Every structure is written in structure tokens, then in C-alpha cells.
């Protein structure tokens, strides 16, 4: 059955450009981003991998480990990574899974046969420290993903895990947030003593906590 939010991210053993891994052991206690690439030596993927590698400091600050996947073997990834460094000005600094037998792609439902029965779609999974799937996005092969958006969602997940808030449309770190509707005004007064702007009883805007 397809994965859903809140499910345990399936564990797997895989060959990567940084050695063999057991996924849950590799990520243990961290957040992780697992993202697929349709094929090696493809232009859109080349730009995505260079950009994601440039964001390493941002992922590290948030306690997130990044791992890529493509259905070609590791030896091919290693050769491709030279092109990525040359053309994007940044070496790939996270492991890339060689999924030639499509084991991981199948486990995570990354092949959508009506789009292509050979290439993966562009999947992104954000997985939390308890190995729960917290975000899934699926892009077509021809559209590069927005990795600033992935960071934005991770910021929202990490904030809303700690505080009784949700984040509004286009929210970015530092913007005002929304008090969750399950919190009564009496309880909200204890958690947000500075008060809030009540646009409607269900829409209470407050400064970002923390
Ligand atoms: C690309 O990464 O450029 C790409 C890969 C597969 C299909 C279309 C584009």
C-alpha cells in the first residue's frame, strides 16, 4: 500500500556513494530528507543536486540529514557527481543511493507507471526523528523542485511540534503564526501571555514563539 503521512518510513539496506547503509541506522535520531532523481546525467537533476548541496549548512542547522536516490548504480553516480561539481560549482556532500534494482523506489512508491515505467518521479519525503513520514511531495520529471520550500516546511514542522501553533499561507520563519483551534482561550492565555489578535474565534494570530 502507498505510504501516507504519519506512517513509519520503511527501512532498507542500500549501496550509496558514501558506502552501504541501513536507512534507520544511518538517520538515527535525526530528521531526514529522502529525494529521488529520475536518472543520472539528466539536466534538471544536475541543478537540483548542486543546489541541495549548497544548502548543507541550512539542513545541518535544523538537524536534517539529506540522502538522494537515482535508479542508476553508485559507480554511475560517482562519475555524474564530477559533472555536478563542474557545472554547479558545488560538490555533492550527501549520499546518493544507487537503486538499480528499484528496491527503494518500489518501497517508497517512486515509480508511477502511467508517468513512466522506467524512471522515478521526483519524490521528496521528510522523515522525523521517530522515523515517521511528515511530508511527501511528488513532482513530474520535467519540473525541478524548490528546495527552499522543503526547508520552509521543515521549519514549520519543527515549530509546530514544539508549540501549539500552525503556520499560515506562505509563512516563513519569524512570521506570525496561528494558535491551534484545539486550544481554549483560557489555555492560550497561559501559553501566550502577550495576547493575540483574534480575527475570528478560530483565527487567532500570535507572534512566532521560541
Ligand atoms: C532531468 O533531470 O532533466 C530530466 C529527467 C527525466 C526526464 C526529464 C528531465
Amino acid at each position: 500500500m502507498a505510504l501516507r503521512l504519519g506512517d513509519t518510513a520503511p527501512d532498507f539496506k542500500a549501496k550509496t556513494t558514501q558506502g552501504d547503509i541501513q536507512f534507520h541506522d544511518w538517520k538515527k535520531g535525526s530528521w531526514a530528507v529522502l529525494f529521488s532523481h529520475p536518472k543520472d546525467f539528466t539536466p534538471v537533476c544536475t541543478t537540483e543536486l548542486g543546489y541541495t548541496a549548497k544548502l548543507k549548512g541550512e539542513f545541518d542547522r535544523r538537524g536534517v540529514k539529506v540522502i538522494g536516490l537515482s535508479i542508476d548504480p553508485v559507480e554511475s553516480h560517482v562519475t555524474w557527481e564530477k559533472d555536478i561539481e563542474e557545472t554547479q560549482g558545488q560538490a555533492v556532500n550527501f549520499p546518493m543511493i544507487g537503486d538499480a534494482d528499484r528496491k527503494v523506489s518500489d518501497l517508497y512508491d517512486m515509480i508511477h507507471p502511467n508517468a513512466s515505467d522506467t524512471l522515478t518521479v521526483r519524490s521528496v519525503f521528510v522523515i522525523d526523528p521517530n522515523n515517521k513520514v511528515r511530508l511527501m511531495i511528488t513532482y513530474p520529471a520535467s519540473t525541478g523542485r524548490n528546495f527552499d520550500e522543503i526547508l520552509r516546511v521543515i521549519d514549520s514542522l519543527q515549530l509546530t511540534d514544539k508549540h501549539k501553533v500552525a503556520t499560515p499561507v506562505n509563512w516563513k520563519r519569524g512570521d506570525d503564526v496561528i494558535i491551534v483551534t484545539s486550544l481554549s482561550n483560557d489555555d492560550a492565555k497561559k501559553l501566550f501571555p502577550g495576547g493575540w489578535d483574534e480575527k475570528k474565534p478560530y483565527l487567532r494570530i500570535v507572534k512566532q514563539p521560541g
Side-chain angles (χ1 to χ4, degrees):
M1 201 177 77
L3 275 176
R4 293 178 174 169
L5 295 187
D7 288 356
T8 297
D11 196 17
F12 56 83
K13 197 173 161 143
K15 287 189 188 312
T16 83
T17 49
Q18 298 185 5
D20 293 357
I21 63 154
Q22 187 73 40
F23 181 58
H24 285 184
D25 291 343
W26 172 81
K27 76 173 278 301
K28 64 172 180 294
S30 294
W31 289 78
V33 171
L34 167 66
F35 65 126
S36 59
H37 294 275
K39 199 173 169 35
D40 288 5
F41 301 101
T42 47
V44 177
C45 300
T46 297
T47 61
E48 286 188 329
L49 286 165
Y51 190 80
T52 307
K54 285 181 187 160
L55 293 179
K56 180 169 171 43
E58 296 296 328
F59 286 112
D60 287 350
R61 260 192 284 292
R62 293 163 174 81
V64 181
K65 295 176 94 168
V66 173
I67 187 161
L69 172 150
S70 172
I71 51 161
D72 292 300
V74 162
E75 300 72 40
S76 163
H77 296 349
V78 170
T79 309
W80 182 27
E81 286 186 1
K82 293 182 191 135
D83 289 356
I84 295 168
E85 182 167 8
E86 180 191 323
T87 61
Q88 308 304 304
Q90 171 67 55
V92 177
N93 46 25
F94 47 83
M96 282 287 293
I97 296 167
D99 196 36
D101 61 4
R102 320 248 158 122
K103 205 178 66 186
V104 182
S105 307
D106 284 342
L107 205 51
Y108 279 79
D109 207 17
M110 291 167 167
I111 295 181
H112 295 196
N114 290 327
S116 165
D117 50 15
T118 52
L119 310 177
T120 66
V121 289
R122 293 186 195 280
S123 298
V124 183
F125 294 88
V126 173
I127 301 165
D128 75 12
N130 296 317
N131 294 334
K132 299 294 180 206
V133 176
R134 302 294 299 277
L135 170 77
M136 298 189 297
I137 62 171
T138 307
Y139 273 46
S142 52
T143 304
R145 289 157 285 197
N146 182 334
F147 285 83
D148 298 323
E149 167 66 2
I150 310 292
L151 285 172
R152 190 189 76 86
V153 178
I154 291 169
D155 283 341
S156 172
L157 287 168
Q158 293 185 341
L159 180 77
T160 58
D161 277 359
K162 278 206 198 99
H163 301 280
K164 293 206 173 294
V165 297
T167 58
V169 60
N170 291 349
W171 173 87
K172 299 181 304 308
R173 195 151 49 144
D175 289 353
D176 291 349
V177 298
I178 295 168
I179 300 172
V180 293
T181 50
S182 57
L183 197 68
S184 68
N185 276 350
D186 283 347
D187 288 338
K189 274 182 203 141
K190 293 176 208 145
L191 293 178
F192 306 102
W196 56 84
D197 176 12
E198 184 162 317
K199 308 247 179 234
K200 289 282 175 190
Y202 59 82
L203 180 55
R204 297 168 293 176
I205 310 290
V206 72
K207 295 269 168 241
Q208 180 190 310

